[in-house]
Amino acid sequence: MKTCVITARLLVRVHNCRSMAASTSLQKATKLQSLNGVFAVYKKEGPTSADVLNTLKLKLLEEAGMEQNLKRKKQILKVGHGGTLDNSASGVLVVGIGKGTKMLSNMLKGSKKYTTVGEFGKTTDTLDATGKVTEELSYDHIKKDDLIKILKKFSGNIMQVPPLYSALKKDGQRLSVLVKKGLPVEAKPARPVMVFNLELQNFSLPLFTLDIECGGGFYVRSLVSDIGKELSSCAHVKNLIRTKQGPFTLEEHALHEDKWTIDAIAESIQAGIPLLTEESSAKKIKLDTTSDIPQSDESNVDREGTKNIEGKVET
């Protein structure tokens, strides 16, 4: 009899625990599906921006006790990002969740800040360290003062030729895909872009470090390559970090993977609301000075061709 009583009590406790767990999961799921807004995460080197979104999405669904096939057309959790970072780049990736995905196009029109390390003497087919070296030239003649002087040429409203390895399209196909297939591809014509600020932070041949603040549709890879050509050499991007996008900074706002939780994201969305309001006011002032610059018409895919929501290649 005593054994039966103990067993019954244990069964009651197990039932209560399961009920509490089910209640907690339901609360989490309800809170997750009520999230609507924009926040920032940290993207590390390696994965595509789409990979980051998938990882984030899976973590949130798992925490809420929900399952979903990411290949299904109709998603129970809608997320997207507001500007692709290449695989080899790291830094701020702005994410929209729920109705917040409709705000992502605004992120593309705001300013972005990057820190990049360029390397003189070598150029690659992708214009960054992931590509094959296509040319090597001397760089010993380059002086720090020469580089500083050249930077003035790349500040303000400038014309820029996008890289071949990009999501821009020709006859409905991405240039990067055509290049990988070995098909002949002509570079897109130069187009106007805006560089708000461009500063040299470090110079130690063959490396140089730049801080860049730019508008939408700007390619850091093209900038570094063009700088190499202007100095009678060649250059490619060795490292790239996006330190700011819109009002979101790397140090203050980008959530690292251990913070990709429902509660942390809810707090981040709330904290970002006043930031977005301030950014909107500041953006109007900047756009008044750059209204003649068309926004990028790049496809919403990354360089690997993975679809994302409202995202554009800008590195």
Side-chain angles (χ1 to χ4, degrees):
M1 178 66 70
K2 186 176 182 179
T3 302
C4 291
V5 172
I6 293 174
T7 302
R9 288 177 178 175
L10 287 174
L11 289 174
V12 170
R13 288 181 181 178
V14 170
H15 175 74
N16 290 339
C17 287
R18 287 178 177 174
S19 297
M20 290 176 62
S23 177
T24 300
S25 294
L26 180 59
Q27 291 174 3
K28 288 284 188 179
T30 301
K31 186 171 185 178
L32 175 59
Q33 291 182 311
S34 69
L35 292 180
N36 294 288
V38 177
F39 60 100
V41 300
Y42 171 72
K43 178 198 171 301
K44 61 184 179 181
E45 293 182 26
T48 67
S49 298
D51 290 337
V52 172
L53 284 188
N54 287 339
T55 300
L56 171 66
K57 192 170 185 177
L58 287 172
K59 287 175 72 71
L60 294 177
L61 291 173
E62 182 179 359
E63 182 186 351
M66 303 166 69
E67 294 183 2
Q68 179 170 309
N69 186 342
L70 292 174
K71 294 182 180 180
R72 291 176 58 186
K73 289 185 177 180
K74 189 174 181 180
Q75 304 291 320
I76 58 176
L77 179 62
K78 188 176 182 181
V79 297
H81 64 71
T84 298
L85 274 173
D86 290 338
N87 303 25
S88 58
S90 63
V92 178
L93 185 68
V94 174
V95 176
I97 187 168
K99 295 179 181 178
T101 56
K102 296 180 181 180
M103 302 168 60
L104 293 175
S105 58
N106 293 330
M107 292 294 101
L108 296 167
K109 301 173 185 177
S111 67
K112 303 164 187 65
K113 290 185 179 180
Y114 297 91
T115 295
T116 186
V117 176
E119 181 177 357
F120 286 121
K122 296 179 182 179
T123 190
T124 70
D125 54 0
T126 60
L127 304 185
D128 62 19
T130 66
K132 296 179 181 179
V133 176
T134 57
E135 186 177 23
E136 295 188 46
L137 296 173
S138 62
Y139 55 83
D140 296 338
H141 62 281
I142 300 175
K143 307 300 181 185
K144 183 177 180 179
D145 288 343
D146 296 331
L147 177 53
I148 293 175
K149 187 181 298 184
I150 282 295
L151 293 184
K152 295 178 182 179
K153 183 175 181 178
F154 294 98
S155 299
N157 185 353
I158 65 171
M159 299 297 291
Q160 187 184 69
V161 177
L164 287 179
Y165 275 82
S166 70
L168 297 177
K169 292 184 177 182
K170 176 185 178 183
D171 300 327
Q173 294 193 59
R174 293 177 293 276
L175 296 184
S176 58
V177 173
L178 296 175
V179 173
K180 289 177 181 178
K181 289 181 178 179
L183 299 175
V185 178
E186 293 184 4
K188 288 284 186 178
R191 56 187 185 174
V193 292
M194 174 57 72
V195 180
F196 298 109
N197 190 53
L198 180 58
E199 296 181 2
L200 178 65
Q201 295 300 322
N202 190 42
F203 181 81
S204 180
L205 287 177
L207 305 179
F208 59 99
T209 303
L210 301 174
D211 278 350
I212 307 157
E213 182 178 8
C214 58
F218 182 84
Y219 285 90
V220 176
R221 287 178 287 138
S222 290
L223 169 69
V224 170
S225 177
D226 290 343
I227 287 173
K229 294 174 183 177
E230 284 291 329
L231 293 171
S232 301
S233 183
C234 56
H236 69 277
V237 170
K238 190 174 181 65
N239 180 263
L240 179 64
I241 302 173
R242 183 190 282 162
T243 58
K244 187 175 184 288
Q245 181 176 7
F248 301 104
T249 65
L250 180 59
E251 293 183 356
E252 295 182 63
H253 308 113
L255 298 176
H256 286 251
E257 192 165 345
D258 62 333
K259 297 293 186 182
W260 293 359
T261 66
I262 296 172
D263 288 341
I265 289 173
E267 292 177 6
S268 186
I269 289 173
Q270 284 300 117
I273 292 175
L275 296 175
L276 291 168
T277 302
E278 293 175 11
E279 176 72 11
S280 179
S281 299
K283 187 194 302 178
K284 288 180 180 179
I285 298 174
K286 280 192 174 181
L287 289 179
D288 285 342
T289 65
T290 61
S291 58
D292 58 328
I293 300 177
Q295 291 301 313
S296 171
D297 60 352
E298 299 160 41
S299 172
N300 62 330
V301 292
D302 61 23
R303 283 168 56 191
E304 288 68 40
T306 305
K307 291 185 179 179
N308 64 67
I309 301 174
E310 310 259 11
K312 296 185 181 180
V313 177
E314 296 183 333
T315 58

